[in-house]
């Protein structure tokens, strides 16, 4: 133990912990935004909110409940996916919205894309194979 470097000891300590993920990164970004706004507004509650988001991000990184943190991160990614696609490439997102209609499967809630302007369609869900009808 005495011969290990600081980097090796830190790696041993972090073994089995969640580490950084998208939800933790988003929490840090929100924390920084609140901190910047607090620099202009000088409100104590903004500092408290900023500190709370930063503490939540640190807690996520150090958590040993990896499966639960992974499930939370997946739920976060699913909820933010439409927003992220619009932010990353707005022109492609607009073209996609004009050409296709996005539906949700009534059985498994899988997102299904169908072409617009084709009238009444019978759609088969690629995930659960449920057939349902819709207008495009």
């Amino acid at each position: 133990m005495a011969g290990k470097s600081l980097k090796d000891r830190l790696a041993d300590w972090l073994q089995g912990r969640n580490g950084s993920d998208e939800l933790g990164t988003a929490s840090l970004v929100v924390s920084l935004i609140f901190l910047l706004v607090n620099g202009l507004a000088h409100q104590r509650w903004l500092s408290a909110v900023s500190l709370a988001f930063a503490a939540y991000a640190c807690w996520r990184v150090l958590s040993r409940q990896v499966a639960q943190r992974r499930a939370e991160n997946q739920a976060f990614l699913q909820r933010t996916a439409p927003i992220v696609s619009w932010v990353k490439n707005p022109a492609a997102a607009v073209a996609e919205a004009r050409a296709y209609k996005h539906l949700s499967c009534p059985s498994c809630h899988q997102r299904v894309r169908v072409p617009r302007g084709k009238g009444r369609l019978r759609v088969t869900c690629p995930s659960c194979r449920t057939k349902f009808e819709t207008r495009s």
Side-chain angles (χ1 to χ4, degrees), residues 13-109:
W13 185 69
L14 288 174
Q15 190 71 28
R17 297 187 188 266
N18 185 48
S20 179
D21 58 7
E22 289 83 0
L23 181 53
T25 304
S27 297
L28 279 177
V29 168
V30 170
S31 173
L32 288 174
I33 290 170
F34 274 110
L35 195 61
L36 290 173
V37 170
N38 184 40
L40 300 173
H42 302 293
Q43 297 290 320
R44 284 186 187 223
W45 68 272
L46 286 174
S47 308
V49 170
S50 175
L51 183 62
F53 274 105
Y56 177 69
C58 291
W59 174 77
R60 286 190 60 79
V61 168
L62 299 176
S63 175
R64 288 189 180 264
Q65 298 170 336
V66 177
Q68 289 176 346
R69 301 296 84 79
R70 186 171 292 146
E72 292 166 356
N73 190 50
Q74 284 300 324
F76 171 75
L77 290 176
Q78 286 178 348
R79 287 186 184 112
T80 59
I83 298 166
V84 170
S85 68
W86 280 89
V87 170
K88 281 187 177 180
N89 192 350
V94 168
E96 170 84 10
R98 283 187 189 144
Y100 297 98
K101 181 177 181 180
H102 295 273
L103 309 170
S104 180
C105 172
S107 176
C108 68
H109 303 290

Side-chain angles (χ1 to χ4, degrees), residues 103 112-114 121-126 130-134:
L103 309 170
V112 181
R113 184 178 80 162
V114 295
L121 296 174
R122 185 170 180 95
V123 180
T124 302
C125 175
T130 300
K131 292 179 174 36
F132 59 97
E133 288 192 18
T134 186

